[in-house]
Amino acid sequence: MYSFNSRVRYSETGEDGFLSLSSAVHYMQDCSTFQSEELGVGVEPMKEMGRAWFLSAWQIEIGRMPKLMEEITIGTWANGFKAMYGYRNFVIRDQAGADLVRAASTWVYMNVETGRPERVSAETVAVYGEEPPLDMEEAGRKIQLPEEIQEYPSFPVRKAQIDTNGHVNNAKYVEMAQEWLPAASDIRRLRVAYQHAARYGDVIVPAVHREAGVCTVVLKGTGGQVYTVIEAGV
């Protein structure tokens, strides 16, 4: 497992004083980025190769969110590769080594020059290695869209939401959805399915469905295309 230590900063907390959902996602994706950079397959080397890993889905289990000033360890490891997919686990642990947050994620290996997925090479698998997966219930990559859904006022994608791939950063979609989701400290499971990449200047149309213990936020475009679906359970 690759890991790094941190302390929950005030800027990473929500109004309840606990680590926010988007900050937790930032921590985890930063951890995988740190590992890739140290292995020599970070942002710049991948750009030179014309390749990139695009996140397809999150499945996150939350025991509890760490609070302000709490010291934590963020860890990650690759747990499998199949065709164009890579599978990766994450944990956020407290000082005693207990898992606070556990996550499974699915990534797609993309040829950015052709804009199409590409089979993961044996050389790439060897760079990351493979470790056993977390014992988590398999929820699947896709989230079924609710039939009844309420739209809210639209808003444009801002420059501050764009990452080095020229798309809205994965965590920023979660940040957008926090407007309608329960408080992070109340959420026990979170699923995120990324379908289309939003870019600077695109307009996001949020649509929300709530039922017993579950809130689903669909972030759509003005043409009806779905960018991301986020499902939170308490």
Side-chain angles (χ1 to χ4, degrees), residues 54-58 85-88 104-108 141:
F54 286 176
L55 185 58
S56 174
W58 281 112
Y85 295 108
Y87 304 96
R88 177 174 287 275
S105 60
T106 303
W107 302 71
V108 180
R141 289 187 298 116

Side-chain angles (χ1 to χ4, degrees), residues 133-182:
L134 286 171
D135 183 14
M136 295 177 62
E137 181 180 349
E138 178 65 41
R141 289 187 298 116
K142 296 183 179 180
I143 301 174
Q144 186 172 354
L145 296 179
E147 293 184 3
E148 296 182 5
I149 200 159
Q150 179 180 351
E151 290 191 358
Y152 287 82
S154 62
F155 52 86
V157 172
R158 305 296 187 183
K159 284 185 178 180
Q161 296 168 322
I162 304 299
D163 62 18
T164 56
N165 292 313
H167 307 151
V168 172
N169 182 269
N170 302 317
K172 295 298 183 180
Y173 293 104
V174 177
E175 191 173 274
M176 294 174 189
Q178 284 177 183
E179 179 74 19
W180 299 276
L181 296 177

Side-chain angles (χ1 to χ4, degrees), residues 158-222:
R158 305 296 187 183
K159 284 185 178 180
Q161 296 168 322
I162 304 299
D163 62 18
T164 56
N165 292 313
H167 307 151
V168 172
N169 182 269
N170 302 317
K172 295 298 183 180
Y173 293 104
V174 177
E175 191 173 274
M176 294 174 189
Q178 284 177 183
E179 179 74 19
W180 299 276
L181 296 177
S185 55
D186 292 332
I187 294 173
R188 291 295 168 261
R189 59 179 180 83
L190 184 77
R191 295 176 64 203
V192 185
Y194 300 96
Q195 297 189 20
H196 293 92
R199 299 175 181 271
Y200 175 60
D202 286 343
V203 174
I204 304 293
V205 181
V208 181
H209 175 80
R210 293 184 178 90
E211 57 183 290
V214 179
C215 177
T216 304
V217 178
V218 181
L219 300 175
K220 305 185 294 181
T222 53

